[in-house]
Amino acid sequence: MPESSGARPEVGDELELEVGDVAHGGVFVARADERVVFVSDAAPGEVVRARITQVKRSFARAVALDVVDRAHEARRAHVWPEADITRDPELRPGGAEFGHLRPDAQRELKRRVVTDALARFGGVTRDVEVASTAGDADGDGTGWRTRVTLHVDEHGTVGPYAARSHRVIPVERLPLAVDAIDALADRHRTARGPGRLEFTAASEGEALVRPVPDRGRATRAGVVRERVGAREFDVDQDGFWQVHRDAAATLVGAVGAAIDPELLDPRAPNLDLYGGVGLLATSFADVGGADVRVETVESARAATEHARRNLAGLPGASAVTARVDRYLEHLGRDSGAAARDAFGRATIVLDPPRSGAGGAVVRSLVELGPAQIVYVACDPVAFARDVGTFRELGYEPGGILAFDLFPSTHHVECVATLRPVR
């Protein structure tokens, strides 16, 4: 075991550290003189030489410089050469924290993170497997991103930011991106800065790039068309859409499978919260037919307008522009006995931002008393905290699924069904 130096670590120190298990955020736990050190670019069980990059009162951060002993059996040359451990940490681009490990090992790490988060923050003992999409089953964790943002510094250099930095790093390729974006970005090695370039590869049409300067007027965002199965969805070029090429279809299928058809009342006031352009609202139709009543709620007006058009073929669907917390407060305040009885038969799907739904939204949902809730989450800790609140208020999780919709990164998507304890 590496010896302790006996001194408090300082920024810039290089230490030999024995790496423990994975932690949320794509880092790994080590210790230096009883202080927790979160190490990036490492793997469990390795002994690494690492440089301290940040020191706080209760923890420090470090980045691995090389593996001294016991290299993890799944370690490989990084899929993004500029992010490899052999490169100076200050010159490594961020956004591919697990690219130095085989995809099967990445999914195992994500399984541990989800399982640990549910136990610690949600009070749920559950071993949740992380599944790949069908298109990634035999892949190497590359070629999946359909949205990429590159930054432009004051010198006109184009590239991603370095990890935990605003330093622009020029790169030869974008291996996590789909081929169309990788090829288009290769033609934009320099640009007028400072600002950013937003790349989009939709299901239909060619890849697009939109310059967004830090000062002055940005190029107006266009509308792109996405196809999911037999359905088409219009979304603004700068609007929200699932990043992985197969994520939209995967989540529509997962949400549809999570909805219990016996609890889905077609006439109840069913809701799709944080609904975007209406993608997950279509799961209701997949389960109960086109006439199932569902209202999608989204705070971005442009997205709501797209949702109305995207859902026009479903007679039971509607879309409103509102903040979810205020919308639910209004329902809870103004609903009479008949409305409350109707909500007791409702199915609610919610796909909140990375920070989670939060206690106020969870409490408002529980007060409505729906028959079932399907929660889609892209952050396991925020998800687990909300699950814990649901449990405290009488809703227990049933099935919990997890999907590796962000290969070579630490991110993972979860889908859970929650039902009231009768």
Side-chain angles (χ1 to χ4, degrees), residues 162-337:
R164 298 184 180 277
S165 170
H166 285 173
R167 184 187 307 106
V168 175
I169 305 298
V171 295
E172 290 296 318
R173 288 196 58 224
L174 300 173
L176 270 58
V178 295
D179 289 344
I181 287 181
D182 190 26
L184 183 58
D186 189 53
R187 302 198 295 271
H188 290 78
R189 298 293 187 91
T190 61
R192 181 175 297 178
R196 64 184 187 272
L197 300 177
E198 297 178 346
F199 294 86
T200 306
S203 304
E204 298 189 356
E206 298 180 352
L208 305 171
V209 59
R210 177 175 176 252
V212 182
D214 285 350
R215 296 180 294 274
R217 182 174 297 179
T219 303
R220 184 174 179 177
V223 176
V224 297
R225 179 157 295 176
E226 300 285 357
R227 180 180 293 275
V228 182
R231 295 191 176 100
E232 293 181 340
F233 298 84
D234 284 348
V235 57
D236 284 346
Q237 189 180 351
D238 60 347
F240 176 77
W241 186 258
Q242 294 293 334
V243 173
H244 191 292
R245 64 180 185 278
D246 298 327
T250 298
L251 290 178
V252 167
V255 170
I259 295 174
D260 185 341
E262 295 185 2
L263 295 179
L264 177 61
D265 184 340
R267 295 172 299 281
N270 304 301
L271 296 174
D272 169 30
L273 303 179
Y274 311 95
V277 298
L279 174 68
L280 297 183
T282 63
S283 299
F284 289 84
D286 291 341
V287 177
D291 291 328
V292 170
R293 178 183 174 189
V294 57
E295 184 158 81
T296 183
V297 182
E298 167 60 47
S299 62
R301 185 173 301 277
T304 304
E305 292 172 356
H306 283 306
R308 292 191 183 104
R309 291 189 290 270
N310 294 336
L311 300 173
L314 303 178
S318 60
V320 299
T321 303
R323 274 181 40 169
V324 167
D325 55 347
R326 294 175 181 173
Y327 178 89
L328 293 175
E329 287 174 7
H330 172 76
L331 289 181
R333 183 174 60 248
D334 298 342
S335 295

Side-chain angles (χ1 to χ4, degrees), residues 102-115:
R102 290 196 316 262
D104 61 320
Q106 296 178 29
R107 291 192 289 273
E108 167 60 18
L109 294 175
K110 296 178 187 187
R111 182 195 67 79
R112 295 185 203 176
V113 169
V114 173
T115 300

Side-chain angles (χ1 to χ4, degrees), residues 347-373:
T347 294
I348 295 179
V349 171
L350 68 157
D351 182 9
R354 194 172 301 281
S355 57
V361 167
V362 170
R363 285 189 290 273
S364 294
L365 285 173
V366 171
E367 288 173 4
L368 293 176
Q372 59 182 333
I373 297 169

Side-chain angles (χ1 to χ4, degrees), residues 41-42 74-87 92-102 106 140-142 175-176 407-409:
D41 298 341
R75 180 177 277 278
R76 61 180 179 177
H78 203 289
V79 294
W80 201 351
E82 288 91 345
D84 195 72
I85 195 172
T86 58
R87 187 174 169 96
R92 298 176 197 171
E97 308 86 6
F98 286 169
H100 61 295
L101 299 169
R102 290 196 316 262
Q106 296 178 29
D140 63 355
T142 65
L176 270 58
S408 296
T409 82

